[in-house]
Amino acid sequence: MTARTIVITGASDGIGAAAARALSQSGDRVVIVGRSPAKTAAVAESLGADFVVADFASLDEVRTLAAELQERYPRIDVLANNAGGIMGEREITVDGHEKTLQVNHLAPFLLTTLLMDRLVASQARVINTSSAANVLFGKIDLGDLQAETKYSPNKAYGDAKLANILFTRELQRRYNDLGLTTAAFHPGVVATSFSTGSTTLMRLIYQTPLKRLLLGAEQGADTLVWLATARPGTDWASGEYYEKRRIQKANKQAYDQQLATDLWELSSTLVAAHSAPLAS
């Protein structure tokens, strides 16, 4: 059986690195994508895996990442959009976008759409790491998607994680008939470094001794690994939101098909400046 090519973003640490370890052991060819050159290279070296460095706070780096992946890999069987995190004070990226929105949603949206032809040709599955924060804090207003009038770190993160689910559902609607499958999932409350840049109370849990109460990275990666290896359409349903290998109820906005379509169109506009045309 030919080894599959699995691209995992945010794989230099936490559940991304744990998923990469598990999938490498099963014989898949894993490509590690991370922001830190040293950490990304170290994880890749430990697994004998390929790696690419990209900072999702720069959309030009995402475009370069997409081009490099297409040049290196004639097939991409799984794209795991796992990079993300909760931020601190409101910050604008070099691209002019609110950082939480860009790193968690716009960057993976751009990466996926730039790779779309390759993904469809490979009959790939796209897995998006969301969070229960979509229910706790998410309420998307497309008129204030950049949180210019109403910002808090938790709300920005909740909105971005809700956007991940809306993206999943619209990806399903547009591309499932072409053979693409997709799912979003909540990994659980995992002891990782994803809140390092945050000033919120969540950091007290993730970056203090309270961290010992949280799930390990391997536990958090379990659903990602399952979605990457189990049979879509048989073991799991494409377009759904999962936790612990089970479909979970998401924010009520996640089921608004018009909102999903409108978010896709707005996201396309936001990432399209000075770039090649995106998949529609």
Side-chain angles (χ1 to χ4, degrees):
M1 181 176 176
T2 304
R4 300 179 305 159
T5 298
I6 300 178
V7 177
I8 308 177
T9 70
S12 63
D13 198 359
I15 68 171
R21 285 191 292 271
L23 292 165
S24 292
Q25 290 169 3
S26 70
D28 288 315
R29 178 185 197 179
V30 175
V31 183
I32 308 296
V33 178
R35 179 170 58 91
S36 163
K39 290 170 64 176
T40 304
V43 172
E45 183 178 357
S46 72
L47 300 176
D50 297 343
F51 72 94
V52 187
V53 174
D55 185 348
F56 278 18
S58 166
L59 294 182
D60 276 346
E61 292 200 25
V62 177
R63 295 182 183 103
T64 300
L65 168 63
E68 189 164 347
L69 292 172
Q70 292 191 88
E71 182 179 349
R72 286 192 193 182
Y73 307 107
R75 288 186 58 88
I76 297 175
D77 298 280
V78 179
L79 172 62
N81 288 313
N82 175 67
I86 188 168
M87 311 302 169
E89 297 300 315
R90 187 173 185 272
E91 184 178 346
I92 301 300
T93 68
V94 294
D95 302 286
H97 305 308
E98 191 277 313
K99 187 175 181 180
T100 314
L101 177 72
Q102 177 164 322
V103 171
N104 289 277
H105 169 62
L106 292 177
F109 173 87
L110 176 60
L111 178 62
T112 305
T113 50
L114 288 174
L115 293 174
M116 192 60 70
D117 288 347
R118 184 64 44 85
L119 294 170
V120 169
S122 304
Q123 302 286 279
R125 58 188 83 183
V126 177
I127 303 167
N128 298 311
T129 302
S130 182
S131 167
N134 86 86
V135 176
L136 297 172
F137 307 117
K139 187 175 181 181
I140 287 179
D141 175 3
L142 293 182
D144 190 31
L145 191 61
Q146 307 270 10
E148 294 176 275
T149 62
K150 189 175 182 181
Y151 176 85
S152 76
N154 285 343
K155 176 172 172 22
Y157 183 66
D159 286 353
K161 295 293 102 180
L162 174 55
N164 294 153
I165 302 173
L166 287 162
F167 172 47
T168 300
R169 297 184 71 82
E170 185 66 2
L171 191 62
Q172 158 74 15
R173 187 184 73 82
R174 292 181 183 231
Y175 291 100
N176 185 247
D177 286 348
L178 298 176
L180 195 76
T181 52
T182 182
F185 77 101
H186 169 50
V189 186
V190 182
T192 70
S193 62
F194 96 105
S195 66
T196 300
S198 173
T199 58
T200 71
L201 289 175
M202 292 179 77
R203 188 174 183 182
L204 294 178
I205 299 174
Y206 283 91
Q207 304 297 324
T208 71
L210 291 173
K211 187 174 180 178
R212 69 179 183 275
L213 303 176
L214 308 182
L215 298 176
E218 289 74 16
Q219 294 170 289
D222 176 73
T223 299
L224 193 166
V225 173
W226 174 69
L227 290 167
T229 54
R231 296 166 297 173
T234 300
D235 299 319
W236 56 270
S238 186
E240 296 293 345
Y241 167 63
Y242 284 84
E243 180 184 1
K244 296 181 179 177
R245 304 190 181 191
R246 296 178 183 271
I247 294 174
Q248 294 296 317
K249 185 74 172 177
N251 187 302
K252 65 181 180 180
Q253 282 190 308
Y255 306 100
D256 185 334
Q257 187 56 63
Q258 189 60 54
L259 178 61
T261 299
D262 291 346
L263 176 63
W264 183 292
E265 297 300 333
L266 179 55
S267 300
S268 294
T269 299
L270 292 173
V271 303
H274 311 299
S275 67
L278 299 175
S280 62

